[in-house]
C-alpha cells in the first residue's frame, strides 16, 4: 500500500508580508485614526486620479491569521486595480489577537465603517455604497461585517460615531474560515492533515483567547453562518480547491447554509480548481475583474 502523501503545513503567521507600492497613487491619505482606544485603529484612503466622486468604497480587510498583517501590506495591492474603475479603496487596521481577542477586531472594523460615514464627504467617498472585502482571516471578517450589522454585541460605543450605521452593501470573502472546530477534520478528509487549528496555540485559539475546543459557544459567535438572514447584503465567496490551510469545505458549508436560508441572488460562489491558499491566481487581472463585475452589479 502506498502511504498517503503528507502535505507540509504553512504557518501563515510566520510569513513576512512586504509593503504595497502606493507611489503611483497621487490622491491618498495614510494613517487616519478612526478611533482612539488603540494606536492600531487607523486606516488609509486611496482615490482615483481624477474626479470629485463621491466614489463607492472598497473596504479592504487584510488577512494574517488574525495575528499579523497591516493595512499597508501587499494584500491591498490587487484592489488598487479598482481605482480606474471609479472606486475608492480604504484599507483598515484592527486590533490583532496579540493585543485584544475577539470580538475586538470586528468592533474596530465596524467603527471604521461608521467613521467613513461620518467623514465621507471630506474624502469624496460615497459610504452608502461600500463593500467589505478580504481574504483568509480578512475573509472571515468581511463575511462577519456583511452579516452582523444589527448585532449589537459587536458594537463598542467607546469607538465613536454610533449614530451612523455599520452596514455594507456587498462583501467579498476569499477563502475565509467559517467554523474553526471543523477545520482539522476537513483537512484530514482532503489528505492535508493532520491539522493544528484545534491546538491551544493555533491562530484561531489565540483569536478567541482560549483553546477552541474549550469554547465552542465562542467559536459559534465567530462563525458567519450563525448570522445568516434573508435581508443580508450580497456576498461573493471564492476558495481554492487545494487549500491546505483553510479547507475548501469551510466555504462549502457556508454556501450550503446560504442556499437554505436566502435567495440565490444574494450570494455567488467560485471554487477555483487546482490552487491552494492565497494562490496568485486570486489576484490575477482575470479574477479581480470578476470581483469588480460583482461589485459593479451591487454598488453602481
Amino acid at each position: 500500500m502506498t502511504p498517503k502523501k503528507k502535505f507540509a503545513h504553512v504557518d501563515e503567521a510566520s510569513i513576512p508580508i512586504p509593503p504595497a507600492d502606493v507611489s503611483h497613487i497621487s490622491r491618498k491619505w495614510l494613517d487616519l485614526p478612526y478611533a482612539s482606544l488603540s494606536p492600531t485603529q487607523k486606516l488609509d484612503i486611496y482615490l482615483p486620479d481624477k474626479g470629485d466622486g463621491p466614489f463607492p468604497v472598497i473596504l479592504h480587510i487584510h488577512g494574517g491569521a488574525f495575528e499579523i498583517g497591516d493595512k499597508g501590506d501587499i494584500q491591498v495591492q490587487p484592489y488598487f486595480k479598482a481605482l480606474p474603475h471609479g472606486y475608492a479603496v480604504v484599507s483598515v487596521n484592527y486590533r490583532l489577537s496579540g493585543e485584544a481577542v475577539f470580538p475586538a477586531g470586528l468592533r474596530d472594523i465596524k467603527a471604521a465603517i461608521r467613521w467613513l460615514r461620518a467623514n465621507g464627504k471630506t474624502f469624496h467617498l460615497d459610504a452608502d455604497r461600500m463593500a467589505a472585502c478580504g481574504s483568509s482571516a480578512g475573509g472571515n471578517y468581511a463575511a462577519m461585517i456583511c452579516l452582523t450589522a444589527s448585532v449589537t454585541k459587536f458594537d463598542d460605543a467607546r469607538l465613536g460615531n454610533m449614530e451612523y450605521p455599520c452596514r455594507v452593501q456587498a462583501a467579498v470573502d476569499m477563502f475565509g474560515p467559517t467554523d474553526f472546530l471543523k477545520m482539522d477534520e476537513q483537512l484530514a478528509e482532503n489528505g492535508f492533515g493532520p491539522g493544528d487549528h484545534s491546538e491551544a496555540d493555533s491562530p484561531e485559539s489565540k483569536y478567541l483567547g482560549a483553546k477552541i475546543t474549550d469554547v465552542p459557544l465562542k467559536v459559534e459567535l465567530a462563525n458567519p453562518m450563525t448570522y445568516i438572514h434573508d435581508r443580508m447584503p450580497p456576498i461573493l465567496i471564492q476558495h481554492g480547491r487545494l487549500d491546505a490551510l483553510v479547507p475548501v469545505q469551510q466555504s462549502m458549508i457556508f454556501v450550503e447554509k446560504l442556499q437554505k436560508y436566502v435567495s440565490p441572488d444574494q450570494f455567488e460562489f467560485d471554487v477555483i480548481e487546482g490552487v491552494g491558499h492565497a494562490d496568485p491566481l486570486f489576484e490575477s487581472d482575470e479574477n479581480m475583474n470578476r470581483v469588480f463585475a460583482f461589485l459593479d452589479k451591487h454598488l453602481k
Side-chain angles (χ1 to χ4, degrees), residues 68-123:
I68 64 167
D70 184 83
K71 59 184 172 54
D73 70 34
I74 201 168
Q75 297 179 72
V76 69
Q77 200 150 302
Y79 286 94
F80 292 157
K81 299 174 185 178
L83 296 173
H85 292 257
Y87 287 96
V89 176
V90 176
S91 194
V92 61
N93 268 354
Y94 50 87
R95 283 171 288 174
L96 301 171
S97 61
E99 179 180 357
V101 299
F102 173 85
L106 182 60
R107 288 171 172 165
D108 287 348
I109 298 164
K110 288 173 173 282
I113 293 169
R114 291 186 165 104
W115 185 92
L116 290 168
R117 286 213 162 87
N119 296 277
K121 288 183 179 179
T122 301
F123 299 100

Side-chain angles (χ1 to χ4, degrees), residues 70-274:
D70 184 83
K71 59 184 172 54
D73 70 34
I74 201 168
Q75 297 179 72
V76 69
Q77 200 150 302
Y79 286 94
F80 292 157
K81 299 174 185 178
L83 296 173
H85 292 257
Y87 287 96
V89 176
V90 176
S91 194
V92 61
N93 268 354
Y94 50 87
R95 283 171 288 174
L96 301 171
S97 61
E99 179 180 357
V101 299
F102 173 85
L106 182 60
R107 288 171 172 165
D108 287 348
I109 298 164
K110 288 173 173 282
I113 293 169
R114 291 186 165 104
W115 185 92
L116 290 168
R117 286 213 162 87
N119 296 277
K121 288 183 179 179
T122 301
F123 299 100
H124 308 282
L125 305 176
D126 184 349
D128 287 321
R129 290 187 292 158
M130 188 185 309
C133 303
S135 57
S136 197
N140 172 278
Y141 273 134
M144 290 289 284
I145 289 294
C146 177
L147 289 160
T148 66
S150 61
V151 180
T152 57
K153 69 168 63 73
F154 298 141
D155 293 332
D156 187 342
R158 298 175 299 171
L159 304 183
N161 299 302
M162 290 298 295
E163 66 272 29
Y164 293 91
C166 63
R167 65 178 182 271
V168 293
Q169 285 63 56
V172 177
D173 162 16
M174 292 186 180
F175 44 91
T178 56
D179 188 339
F180 302 157
L181 286 172
K182 293 183 178 177
M183 294 174 75
D184 287 345
E185 173 188 338
Q186 292 165 345
L187 287 172
E189 288 175 4
N190 297 345
F192 298 149
D196 55 7
H197 294 285
S198 296
E199 298 298 323
D201 62 350
S202 74
E204 296 78 19
S205 293
K206 292 177 182 177
Y207 176 53
L208 298 186
K211 187 177 180 181
I212 60 172
T213 53
D214 293 339
V215 287
L217 294 180
K218 204 165 187 182
V219 171
E220 187 174 357
L221 289 177
N223 185 340
M225 293 187 287
T226 301
Y227 308 99
I228 290 172
H229 58 90
D230 61 8
R231 297 177 306 283
M232 61 175 281
I235 186 169
L236 168 64
I237 301 168
Q238 295 191 318
H239 215 121
R241 177 79 69 182
L242 301 183
D243 197 320
L245 187 62
V246 178
V248 66
Q249 291 99 316
Q250 290 284 291
S251 289
M252 288 178 167
I253 59 176
F254 188 9
V255 170
E256 286 173 3
K257 191 163 184 180
L258 288 169
Q259 290 171 332
K260 186 174 181 180
Y261 290 106
V262 305
S263 66
D265 60 352
Q266 288 172 280
F267 63 93
E268 299 180 27
F269 182 37
D270 301 333
V271 175
I272 312 297
E273 300 293 341

